Amino acid sequence: MSTYYQPKKYAASVFESMTPADEVLPVVIVGAGPVGMAVALGLAQRGIPVTILEAADQVSFGSRAICISRHSLEAAARLGFGAELEKIVLPWVGGRSFYRDQQVLHFQMRNADHDVRPPMINVSQSEFEQIMVDTIEKNPLITLHWSASIAGVLRADDEVTLEVDCADGKRHLRARWVVAADGGRSRMRELAGLRMQGNNYDGRYVIADIHWESELPAERMVWFDPPSNPGSTIIMHKQPKNIWRIDYQLDPSEDAEIETQEDRIRARITKHLEWLQNDLPWTLEWHGFYSARALALPDFTHGRLLFAGDAAHLVPIFGVRGLNSGMEDAETLAWQLAAVIHGNASPDLLQAYSVERHDAWQQNVANAGKSTLIMSPGSHGYLTTRDAILALSVTRPEFSHLINPRQSSATNARISPLTWPTPADAEGIAAGDPVEDRRVVTADGTETSLDTLRGNGFAVLGVNVDAAALAAASATLAGALAPESVRAILVGSDTSDASVAVVPDADGGVASALGARDGEVFVIRPDGVLLCRIDGVGRIDDVARHLSLGDAPTGASAVVDSGPAIDPAELRRENVWMGLSDALDQVDENDREGFLARLALVLGSQVGQREFEEAIAAATDPTLTVPADRDADATIGG
């Protein structure tokens, strides 16, 4: 019996048009996808009534964005639906890639003892959205209208009027602010006359959900040129309740309309499952189609019309950055828009949202773009080098890092107008970086986490500072940002002020993760981003003042490398891969062999004879039978 999730239907909403005499709505959000609902929950937490308009009569159907990152789980917890979500998800920590039937990559994401949540979980977007709807229905500040599609937009200096098509006719709503979160085919973007800019990639993928009671592990599995579907790339992910997501690439010569018919999809999947020696029955539950795109609006703020999620930007699916990036948009937009509505900041603060999140899109594209060049190379040069990398990786595992999918991680806001300069002598985390949740123990022995202590607002975290002074500084910031929550956290031993959460940090884990010095104070934004790190609490008034202005102090910022160290050899191989690919694309197609011969002669003359002979042997090895991971079963399939 199938366990596939079937979302519930909602009756079309009935509401009246607003008249000029009616009080203008504070915020209307167009689109009840994850991003729109996350913005609504964040605003409602700050006391702001929100109206959501959704064109459909249910949440989305099908798995769609199934991979949810640790950072998005943190956001879900802050927005009030994380606990329910975590009851139904399937965690995973790594994956394997194969070239034909040989393993060429086995990667694992960080999953340390101090981590509160797994690095990645799988759950269908449909169920993710339903939990959000259930949470919203319990919130008296949020009104969600179903079967309400946008027909027109009229913008003025102080409000936006929306024409809405409903089941019983057209209606008009007036709002101070409108958030367009209506997805990649945004009607709001179209009505505003805005166009995205960027790149479309050539690769096309069919995606399908099947019910299949397989014992294969919950990990990302990818086959390049598998014997079951030669020339294609196949991705498999296990979801909860024995649902499997299968994505496979179409050849450029194949007709997408024909290949997305159910009989063709079943035939492709059958061939692959039979090659995996499957003898279990399975059923096709849902299917879709996508191509990789890296597009964005140049600016996400247009007067009182604000864009978020896929309505603002699109990223290639590889590395699962779409929904995860959208959740970051939502948290950032919610607290910044709330500060403007409550009069604690000028509308200039919203330009920081646009700058931050456009740069975040560029960060995501930089990583997802590299993954896309492996998963779906769009030129002769990149296809040639991709296939060479795969073949080499079978016997030369040092090349396998180029196949790494670069799974989604939280973006930074280092270039944000709000982010303070990082002190010149600082180590560890830089201002603008995300502050990850971690397990901690408070002075009274309670086992909790950093995110739980700081709640869903600002946090002022001091390291071995006076507790009373820290409490006073937090109260000052809270007064300036009211009704935004501000909590004080002390990493140290002073328990003299009951309003301060004290973390003794006996093993030094928190201070080490931050790179903190005694006396240093870290101001953390509601979205988990580090606003600034300052010496002592004396500059809290400056923090409040700059937030109200939507800017930060000027000055040079220290270069702080808070990420994992990059192996110089890996960086060199990556540069060779991309440089050679670009060169092959620029060479006349009738001179490619000659170009490669000339290149080999030039490079060969710069190394010793033994090294050159070894390189020739590696490049001409016809067997390709030695697994890259000698300690693992490197073959899956017949």
Side-chain angles (χ1 to χ4, degrees):
M1 178 179 177
S2 174
T3 57
Y4 200 69
Y5 183 71
Q6 303 291 331
K8 63 185 291 187
K9 299 277 189 179
Y10 291 89
S13 299
V14 177
F15 57 94
E16 296 300 319
S17 285
M18 296 177 65
T19 69
D22 291 330
E23 185 177 353
V24 178
L25 298 171
V27 180
V28 170
I29 296 173
V30 180
V35 177
M37 289 191 284
V39 174
L41 288 167
L43 290 171
Q45 285 179 336
R46 293 162 175 85
I48 297 171
V50 181
T51 299
I52 306 176
L53 302 175
E54 171 52 46
D57 63 355
Q58 62 177 42
V59 300
S60 64
F61 179 64
S63 62
R64 301 179 187 272
I66 64 167
C67 300
I68 311 300
S69 70
R70 176 186 284 131
H71 190 66
S72 292
L73 291 174
E74 293 172 2
R78 289 190 289 264
L79 292 169
F81 68 96
E84 287 302 310
L85 178 64
E86 291 181 32
K87 291 178 182 178
I88 64 168
V89 303
L90 183 65
W92 58 282
V93 298
R96 300 172 189 268
S97 295
F98 302 86
Y99 177 50
R100 297 173 181 163
D101 62 351
Q102 296 293 319
Q103 181 173 298
V104 291
L105 173 70
H106 180 202
F107 75 91
Q108 287 199 305
M109 297 172 284
R110 194 199 75 206
N111 193 31
D113 290 341
H114 67 258
D115 287 320
V116 180
R117 299 171 182 86
M120 200 73 69
I121 61 94
N122 284 349
V123 67
S124 78
Q125 183 175 328
S126 184
E127 292 178 89
F128 186 96
E129 291 178 7
Q130 188 63 60
I131 288 175
M132 296 185 79
V133 170
D134 295 344
T135 305
I136 279 172
E137 288 183 326
K138 300 172 186 175
N139 194 313
L141 289 177
I142 304 176
T143 301
L144 173 51
H145 292 312
W146 297 98
S147 300
S149 59
I150 297 298
V153 178
L154 180 63
R155 290 185 283 172
D157 290 341
D158 59 349
E159 65 179 58
V160 179
T161 300
L162 298 173
E163 184 177 64
V164 186
D165 280 333
C166 303
D168 55 350
K170 293 190 182 296
R171 296 291 184 267
H172 293 86
L173 299 179
R174 296 162 45 235
R176 291 290 178 217
W177 298 93
V178 172
V179 176
D182 52 339
R185 297 184 177 90
S186 172
R187 175 66 169 153
M188 291 295 295
R189 192 175 63 233
E190 177 187 355
L191 290 170
L194 301 173
R195 293 180 63 85
M196 289 180 163
Q197 300 174 7
N199 297 312
N200 288 298
Y201 294 89
D202 292 337
R204 303 167 303 155
Y205 276 76
V206 174
I207 55 179
D209 286 344
I210 67 171
H211 179 257
W212 181 42
E213 297 183 4
S214 170
E215 295 300 320
L216 286 174
E219 61 181 2
R220 180 185 187 269
M221 291 182 288
V222 177
W223 288 265
F224 297 94
D225 193 22
S228 63
N229 285 268
S232 182
T233 300
I234 298 179
I235 311 169
M236 289 183 64
H237 269 288
K238 189 174 187 176
Q239 302 178 59
K241 302 176 185 177
N242 291 312
I243 302 298
W244 285 80
R245 165 74 168 265
I246 301 178
D247 303 25
Y248 59 85
Q249 186 179 21
L250 296 181
D251 185 84
S253 64
E254 292 177 313
D255 187 323
E257 186 174 347
I258 294 174
E259 295 303 324
T260 51
Q261 295 174 6
E262 287 195 5
D263 59 334
R264 302 296 283 263
I265 295 172
R266 287 193 177 90
R268 287 277 189 117
I269 295 175
T270 296
K271 286 177 64 178
H272 191 64
L273 297 188
E274 286 180 348
W275 177 69
L276 292 176
Q277 301 177 353
N278 168 65
D279 58 1
L280 298 171
W282 60 275
T283 55
L284 178 64
E285 303 288 347
W286 171 83
H287 62 86
F289 178 82
Y290 70 78
S291 58
R293 294 175 289 172
L295 304 169
L297 293 173
D299 197 322
F300 297 171
T301 62
H302 294 265
R304 293 182 174 271
L305 180 56
L306 313 171
F307 288 83
D310 284 356
H313 52 77
L314 295 170
V315 294
I317 195 169
F318 311 113
V320 296
R321 290 173 171 82
L323 186 152
N324 292 308
S325 178
M327 290 296 289
E328 293 180 358
D329 287 0
E331 274 207 296
T332 298
L333 180 55
W335 78 261
Q336 292 185 10
L337 180 55
V340 172
I341 292 172
H342 286 308
N344 296 325
S346 76
D348 292 342
L349 181 64
L350 294 171
Q351 193 56 38
Y353 161 74
S354 181
V355 171
E356 286 182 26
R357 298 312 304 159
H358 192 279
D359 182 65
W361 169 76
Q362 291 177 312
Q363 294 174 46
N364 281 320
V365 167
N367 282 306
K370 292 174 185 176
S371 298
T372 303
L373 292 172
I374 292 292
M375 298 298 299
S376 187
S379 70
H380 172 83
Y382 278 96
L383 178 60
T384 300
T385 56
R386 191 281 302 270
D387 290 348
I389 288 166
L390 290 168
L392 279 171
S393 295
V394 175
T395 53
R396 300 289 295 268
E398 67 268 26
F399 285 90
S400 65
H401 70 93
L402 296 170
I403 311 166
N404 193 308
R406 299 172 177 86
Q407 294 298 135
S408 177
S409 57
T411 57
N412 69 68
R414 292 186 181 184
I415 72 160
S416 169
L418 306 181
T419 299
W420 286 42
T422 299
D425 56 348
E427 297 179 357
I429 189 170
D433 284 351
V435 180
E436 290 190 331
D437 197 12
R438 62 184 295 124
R439 299 181 191 277
V440 296
V441 179
T442 59
D444 64 2
T446 300
E447 295 183 357
T448 182
S449 77
L450 193 59
D451 265 20
T452 301
L453 293 178
R454 70 178 187 83
N456 55 26
F458 279 85
V460 181
L461 184 151
V463 180
N464 289 319
V465 299
D466 179 76
L470 185 65
S474 300
T476 297
L477 189 60
L481 301 179
E484 186 70 73
S485 166
V486 180
R487 293 188 183 180
I489 303 172
L490 173 63
V491 177
S493 57
D494 185 351
T495 59
S496 61
D497 193 304
S499 66
V500 177
V502 179
V503 178
D505 196 29
D507 63 357
V510 176
S512 176
L514 297 173
R517 304 182 302 269
D518 284 353
E520 200 168 12
V521 171
F522 296 75
V523 180
I524 305 171
R525 303 179 350 177
D527 49 14
V529 171
L530 180 64
L531 177 69
C532 62
R533 49 189 300 177
I534 52 181
D535 288 327
V537 298
R539 299 191 67 186
I540 285 295
D541 285 331
D542 285 343
V543 173
R545 179 172 60 84
H546 281 290
L547 279 171
S548 71
L549 297 173
D551 65 13
T554 58
S557 188
V559 177
V560 177
D561 184 8
S562 57
I566 300 176
D567 185 338
E570 291 189 358
L571 182 60
R572 185 168 61 251
R573 281 188 289 271
E574 183 174 291
N575 291 336
V576 169
W577 159 50
M578 301 190 76
L580 179 58
S581 302
D582 291 336
L584 281 168
D585 285 335
Q586 293 168 12
V587 170
D588 186 282
E589 64 179 66
N590 297 317
D591 189 36
R592 288 166 180 162
E593 185 174 350
F595 162 74
L596 291 174
R598 294 191 297 273
L599 179 63
L601 286 169
V602 171
L603 295 178
S605 67
Q606 298 175 11
V607 300
Q609 181 177 352
R610 182 175 61 83
E611 290 86 351
F612 186 59
E613 290 174 350
E614 288 177 350
I616 290 176
T620 57
D621 179 12
T623 57
L624 302 177
T625 56
V626 181
D629 184 349
R630 297 174 184 272
D631 296 326
D633 179 7
T635 301
I636 290 188

